[in-house]
Amino acid sequence: MAHLCGLCLALRSDHGQFSRIVTNYDGLIVSVLTEAQAERSTGWRRTAGPCPLRGMRTAPVAKGEGARLAAAVSLVLASAKVRDHVADGDGVLKRRPVALAARRIAGGWDRAGARTGAELGFDTAVLVDAVDRQTGIEALAGPGTPLLTVTEPTETATAAAFAHTAVLAGRPGNMAPLAEAGRLFGRLAHLLDAVEDQAADAASGAWNPLTATGTSLAEARRLADDALHGIRLALRDAEFVDDKLAHVLLAHELRTSVDRAFGTSSCSHVGEASVPGGGNPYGGPGGNPYGGQGGSPYGSNNPYGGGGPAGGNPYGGGNPGGPGGGGPGPLPQPPRPERRGFWAGCAVAIGLCCTCKLCCAKEYEGPWSRKRREGCCRDCDCDCCDCCDC
């Protein structure tokens, strides 16, 4: 939250209130990496005033060159996205007056990002060039085109941004490994967008890299897992002062994003094999871990119907506790705990993050739902993560 608010406030300070709408989670990674490499000093946080998104509370926020670089990158990439939507005629941008206004806004963001980048020694032209090349590559791509040809411009842009964090932090030796981490992060971001949007793009007739190149979900998953592994290796080669947050975001959270996009689940530390069953790691059709056509371990859509022992009922009858049932009646369900409100849940979520319970706890209560959940690394026996030492 400190980095997210720091990015938002850096946008406001350098480029005005309206620019704050380009605040995004991907951009704050730049701020996180800069701070992770920098020597700690008394000037790396400041107290921000009340904000409606924080329930009108003050909060410590990130400040300095990392937040400003994140702001510059976010502006330039948001400008590119606006121009892309204008070119595609998406939504209200089909209307000429709206499209003209959007182009003017995008042009202003380009210039603003370039100014801030120049002050930090970062040439945003590499980002603009990557975006311009993306359009041409997509126009030429077709069945048989390697998917990595389509993701290359995004990889180049994020590699440049990640590498410059090493310059800002005074650690030039980190430029090569962070450039590699940025390249793979850009690849992963592009892949996940393609996977998540494929169905919607097919329905609307929009261009999608997976559909256009004829790339299967299994191949996309293989590329995503390779990128995850490569990012972890690249981060090990870089020198950090405190890399705990960077590790959580670029290892744990990226793995969670991949699992969510492909509809799977895994430990954040363990690599996934290719998923040949359309997103089912067990190889069965329809995402059923038991390999059947339905959602029942007894091979039927109806958990108490046919297809299993004694009609599919694990108790030996057709209906537990009913006619022909051979087992106990339905067990009484405990009342569901009352959900927390939005702000109360946010406060609990922050506390869980700060105490590493989301990662390491055997069991914890969901911040909003209040359901019992397990820490994502509770059963890991690997030693590649030191987050449990905090």
Side-chain angles (χ1 to χ4, degrees):
M1 287 300 294
H3 288 281
L4 187 66
C5 292
L7 168 57
C8 181
L9 294 175
L11 286 165
R12 184 197 66 180
S13 298
D14 288 350
H15 310 294
Q17 288 280 3
F18 183 70
S19 67
R20 299 170 81 176
I21 66 172
V22 308
T23 302
N24 64 95
Y25 288 107
D26 289 342
L28 69 84
I29 298 292
V30 172
S31 177
V32 170
L33 283 175
T34 304
E35 188 176 278
Q37 299 170 78
E39 295 292 342
R40 291 292 180 262
S41 66
T42 56
W44 62 294
R45 285 282 192 273
R46 73 178 181 87
T47 301
C51 174
L53 297 180
R54 294 193 299 268
M56 298 307 295
R57 297 182 179 89
T58 61
V61 300
K63 59 177 288 189
E65 295 181 331
R68 297 187 67 207
L69 177 62
V73 171
S74 296
L75 280 170
V76 174
L77 295 183
S79 167
K81 183 170 289 189
V82 169
R83 289 200 303 272
D84 185 53
H85 286 309
V86 170
D88 292 342
D90 294 335
V92 296
L93 295 176
K94 293 179 181 178
R95 302 176 181 177
R96 183 176 177 81
V98 179
L100 289 174
R103 286 195 187 97
R104 291 191 62 183
I105 292 171
W109 285 347
D110 270 337
R111 293 187 293 273
R115 284 196 305 271
T116 300
E119 292 172 7
L120 299 173
F122 179 66
D123 186 2
T124 58
V126 66
L127 307 182
V128 176
D129 175 69
V131 172
D132 290 341
R133 286 190 296 106
Q134 185 75 54
T135 303
I137 290 173
E138 291 180 358
L140 296 174
T145 301
L147 186 59
L148 297 187
T149 300
V150 179
T151 63
E152 180 274 323
T154 306
E155 295 177 21
T156 300
T158 51
F162 274 42
H164 198 70
T165 65
V167 176
L168 296 181
R171 295 185 182 275
N174 284 350
M175 290 184 66
L178 290 184
E180 176 68 5
R183 183 178 67 82
L184 295 173
F185 180 85
R187 175 184 301 178
L188 198 54
H190 204 135
L191 283 173
L192 296 187
D193 279 346
V195 170
E196 291 174 343
D197 297 343
Q198 188 173 25
D201 288 344
S204 64
W207 193 90
N208 184 281
L210 297 179
T211 305
T213 60
T215 303
S216 66
L217 282 178
E219 174 64 9
R221 180 60 192 258
R222 185 188 69 79
L223 292 172
D225 287 334
D226 285 348
L228 284 170
H229 184 62
I231 289 172
R232 298 178 70 92
L233 294 179
L235 292 178
R236 290 181 186 178
D237 292 337
E239 182 181 353
F240 295 98
V241 174
D242 182 356
D243 69 339
K244 277 185 167 50
L245 180 57
H247 178 81
V248 168
L249 295 177
L250 292 173
H252 297 271
E253 292 303 320
L254 277 186
R255 166 61 67 185
T256 300
S257 296
V258 170
D259 287 335
R260 182 169 58 246
F262 287 93
T264 60
S265 62
S266 66
C267 169
S268 299
H269 295 100
V270 181
E272 290 284 352
S274 297
V275 184
N280 176 11
Y282 303 94
N288 177 8
Y290 302 98
Q293 297 297 324
S296 166
Y298 305 105
S300 168
N301 280 319
N302 177 6
Y304 302 115
N313 179 4
Y315 297 105
N319 179 18
L331 297 176
Q333 297 296 317
R336 295 184 64 180
E338 184 178 352
R339 290 178 60 88
R340 288 191 181 93
F342 176 75
W343 295 115
C346 287
V348 174
I350 292 172
L352 291 171
C353 290
C354 293
T355 58
C356 290
K357 287 187 176 181
L358 286 176
C359 177
C360 310
K362 294 295 183 184
E363 192 177 74
Y364 65 90
E365 190 178 76
W368 287 279
S369 67
R370 305 189 76 163
K371 295 179 180 178
R372 307 310 297 178
R373 304 191 184 280
E374 297 177 352
C376 59
C377 300
R378 56 164 290 176
D379 295 324
C380 291
D381 57 2
C382 44
D383 58 3
C384 56
C385 172
D386 61 356
C387 66
C388 299
D389 295 335
C390 58

